[in-house]
Amino acid sequence: MTVSTPRPRAEVAALADQLLAAWLKREGHDEPPPDTLTLPAERLRLGERVLLDRDFGDLPAVPDAGAGYLRRRLRTPAPHGTDQLTLTLASASPDGPTEVRLEAEYLAAGPAVRAGGRVPVPELARTLLPLLDATDGPAQIGAAPRLVRPAEVEALIDELCDPERRLPVLVASLPPATAPGSWLTDTLLPLTRQLTGLAALHLLDQEALPLFNVALEYHKVYGGAVRTYLPEVDPASRADGGRHPVLPRHRIEEDVRRAAALLAREPRRLATDLPLPALLAAVPVYRAPAEIRSPEGPATERRPEQDTDAAERQARADELQRVRHSLHRSRRRERFLLLAGDEQRTGLRRPPGSALPGRLCTVRPWDGSPGSFGELVGRFAEFPLLEFTGDQKEALALDGQCDGTGWARLTWEGLTALQEYAAAAVLGEAGGDFKQWCEHTPAGCHRFPPRKAVRGESRTVESHTKWKRERMLPVPECVDSSRRAFMGAHLRIGGGRTAPRLHYLDDCSGSGRIYVGYIGLHLTNTRTN
């Protein structure tokens, strides 16, 4: 389980310590003493073959002052081996949000012993997760499915399409003439029990279901089925619809336990294979101390050997992270090529006269995106048909936000798509405005989620004098003699209605440019303070 929480790492550690102590007491083991953070690493013996490791430290590889980590590792006896539970907490500052990773493993006693099936979800995951307000990018990660009503459908679709999402989102449909409460209790809770912390879980009510399916023509779910939406949903692509598996109602009702195992297979694979977030990847491997303490007093025994293989284990951990990154890039590239090939075949079958750009776009590599808004502003010249006319300070201020790096990457993706659109628009080959371009992105071009491309502001904003004035942004004199123009068109940066925005003016039919007048926190509207 890898999630984020707004809680500081010390607070999360205190919550986890309380839950672990209560569990150990119920199991008849000794309770660990409070962690006073005086020993960088310590090992406690709490019973026969029951060991608790605790350590903390700084993260030298992270430039932020105060970046650090806390870790707990509990080992308990199991048939023919050991159960190991590791909780790692990392944050860029002591009071900032925390990256949380919880790993449950079975360690066999020897090479001849085989593990008895998948490791079950640990109790700590079920008890800790509800206390964290946990998220994965824009997605709330809860212990049980959340009921989605009509007013929340748009936010759910934003969540599905957000490129910062790493974990799957499971969306369940409600069978006809079925009460949400009974379907949730009798079917969905047992069905999703193995998914705690591994996916965002949602249940569409009867009124929300048709709205959802109209908006996602190629990604529908209905009739009591459950659909797993993997990261990077493209709602405009028919081919992409086949990438997100559907578990039909009859398979669920035939055998809920078997259906639960099938549903958990892909989220578990993703949880194992995805690269760690940067903060968690910077945490060093555990170095066991030479002494083992008991809860009642000082060191009671010494380990027979010092921990001399830490450097080798660190090298293996670093190599594993590199392999995960390589595997992730390869799968994304493979997926893109398959979708591009499918859409090129679809384009060749289009009737005469339909819009189809006469060239393929050049897609910039994902790994080339900037890691901060400071870098993004400095590289704006890489987009020859875009001109940034706004105040750089507003954009640079986003680097101080907890999601700044992800926002910078998403902004870069939007700028890349705008550049490709502008290249087609100046030749008269775009087939519509930027919103339509996103909904029907030509084969080979960079995709930007259509739900994040907004044509204009609401009537309320346009008729409000102060709010409209905020959106009168700088343009060259050749565009408007006042050197100002209203920029209602914008891109949503990140999930939610109050996340940052990029406002722009499409003047491809005039000066042949797109002018970006603002990148920064959400301008004033009915939903901001």
Side-chain angles (χ1 to χ4, degrees):
M1 176 180 86
T2 305
V3 296
S4 301
T5 174
R7 298 179 181 274
R9 61 179 183 261
E11 182 180 335
V12 178
L15 290 171
D17 287 345
Q18 292 175 15
L19 296 171
L20 280 175
W23 181 85
L24 287 165
K25 184 178 181 180
R26 288 197 303 271
E27 295 294 312
H29 305 306
D30 294 336
E31 293 184 62
D35 189 0
T36 59
L37 298 179
T38 55
L39 295 173
E42 62 177 342
R43 172 167 289 182
L44 300 169
R45 184 177 298 283
L46 305 175
E48 183 66 26
R49 294 178 58 204
V50 179
L51 295 175
L52 175 64
D53 295 326
R54 303 191 294 204
D55 69 317
F56 69 94
D58 298 329
L59 297 176
V62 178
D64 303 78
Y69 73 94
L70 288 160
R71 179 166 40 201
R72 305 288 185 262
R73 189 174 72 180
L74 178 66
R75 291 185 175 185
T76 53
H80 311 293
T82 301
D83 286 330
Q84 178 170 285
L85 186 66
T86 305
L87 175 68
T88 309
L89 313 172
S91 60
S93 67
D95 300 322
T98 303
E99 297 288 337
V100 181
R101 184 169 175 86
L102 183 64
E103 300 172 84
E105 306 169 80
Y106 171 79
L107 309 177
V113 178
R114 297 184 61 184
R118 62 167 53 91
V119 177
V121 176
E123 180 178 332
L124 182 61
R126 302 192 193 281
T127 54
L128 182 61
L129 187 63
L131 307 178
L132 296 183
D133 299 322
T135 59
D136 167 46
Q140 295 288 327
I141 307 298
R146 183 179 67 87
L147 187 64
V148 178
R149 304 187 189 280
E152 301 164 314
V153 168
E154 185 175 349
L156 174 57
I157 296 173
D158 282 346
E159 180 180 309
L160 296 181
C161 300
D162 198 300
E164 289 304 302
R165 177 170 64 87
R166 293 163 43 93
L167 302 183
V169 174
L170 270 70
V171 179
S173 57
L174 196 60
T178 303
S182 62
W183 183 248
L184 177 66
T185 303
D186 300 338
T187 303
L188 289 186
L189 287 180
L191 183 67
T192 59
R193 188 165 175 78
Q194 297 182 28
L195 292 170
T196 304
L198 303 182
L201 311 172
H202 301 278
L203 169 62
L204 295 163
D205 72 8
Q206 297 288 16
E207 290 74 27
L209 184 59
L211 299 176
F212 181 86
N213 286 333
V214 167
L216 293 179
E217 179 184 1
Y218 305 128
H219 300 73
K220 297 179 180 178
V221 61
Y222 50 84
V226 177
R227 189 159 196 169
T228 302
Y229 293 90
L230 300 175
E232 299 178 29
V233 172
D234 184 354
S237 170
R238 183 189 300 272
D240 182 69
R243 194 168 60 88
H244 310 280
V246 178
L247 186 62
R249 178 184 179 183
H250 71 87
R251 293 288 300 276
I252 297 170
E253 295 180 332
E254 283 174 2
D255 188 338
V256 172
R257 288 188 62 184
R258 177 171 173 77
L262 289 173
L263 201 61
R265 183 180 299 168
E266 189 65 10
R268 282 178 174 253
R269 183 194 66 78
L270 279 174
T272 303
D273 293 350
L274 278 175
L276 296 176
L279 285 171
L280 288 169
V283 175
V285 298
Y286 180 75
R287 294 173 178 262
E291 299 175 333
I292 303 177
R293 300 173 54 217
S294 66
E296 294 79 14
T300 56
E301 55 185 292
R302 296 186 65 84
R303 298 176 65 247
E305 297 179 359
Q306 295 292 323
D307 190 359
T308 57
D309 64 342
E312 181 181 344
R313 289 188 290 111
Q314 185 66 62
R316 289 200 300 266
D318 294 341
E319 179 62 21
L320 177 59
Q321 179 74 345
R322 285 192 291 270
V323 169
R324 284 170 170 160
H325 273 293
S326 177
L327 181 62
H328 188 53
R329 287 193 297 267
S330 297
R331 285 176 172 160
R332 293 177 95 177
R333 180 63 177 166
E334 178 185 18
R335 184 166 68 248
F336 170 79
L337 292 174
L338 288 172
L339 293 178
D342 183 87
E343 294 196 0
Q344 287 183 44
R345 289 190 293 272
T346 301
L348 292 173
R349 293 194 295 268
R350 291 182 183 179
S354 61
L356 178 65
R359 57 174 178 76
L360 293 179
C361 300
T362 301
V363 179
R364 299 170 186 265
W366 283 80
D367 290 342
S369 60
S372 68
F373 281 93
E375 183 184 352
L376 182 148
V377 170
R379 293 173 57 185
F380 218 90
E382 295 182 28
F383 304 107
L385 298 181
L386 309 184
E387 184 175 335
F388 184 43
T389 62
D391 186 350
Q392 295 186 8
K393 293 179 181 178
E394 300 287 350
L396 298 178
L398 296 175
D399 284 333
Q401 305 289 324
C402 61
D403 293 326
T405 300
W407 288 342
R409 286 198 297 266
L410 182 56
T411 303
W412 187 263
E413 292 161 20
L415 293 171
T416 302
L418 280 169
Q419 166 66 28
E420 293 174 344
Y421 158 76
V426 296
L427 299 176
E429 298 178 346
D433 61 10
F434 182 63
K435 174 77 169 181
Q436 292 171 292
W437 176 272
C438 294
E439 291 171 341
H440 306 285
T441 307
C445 290
H446 184 279
R447 302 179 182 280
F448 189 77
R451 306 288 300 187
K452 293 191 173 296
V454 183
R455 285 193 173 98
E457 296 286 10
S458 65
R459 290 183 181 179
T460 304
V461 170
E462 291 194 16
S463 60
H464 193 288
T465 304
K466 180 181 177 182
W467 298 350
K468 183 176 181 179
R469 189 185 306 121
E470 288 184 5
R471 291 157 176 82
M472 296 295 296
L473 297 166
V475 293
E477 190 174 5
C478 64
V479 177
D480 193 290
S481 58
S482 68
R483 296 182 178 271
R484 292 273 169 176
F486 180 72
M487 297 190 188
H490 60 272
L491 308 184
R492 295 172 177 164
I493 306 303
R497 292 181 178 269
T498 57
R501 298 293 189 260
L502 179 154
H503 287 259
Y504 68 93
L505 176 70
D506 181 356
D507 195 44
C508 289
S509 61
S511 62
R513 295 286 187 275
I514 290 177
Y515 299 96
V516 178
Y518 180 82
I519 301 174
L521 291 173
H522 200 303
L523 295 173
T524 310
N525 68 1
T526 57
R527 294 177 178 269
T528 57
N529 294 323

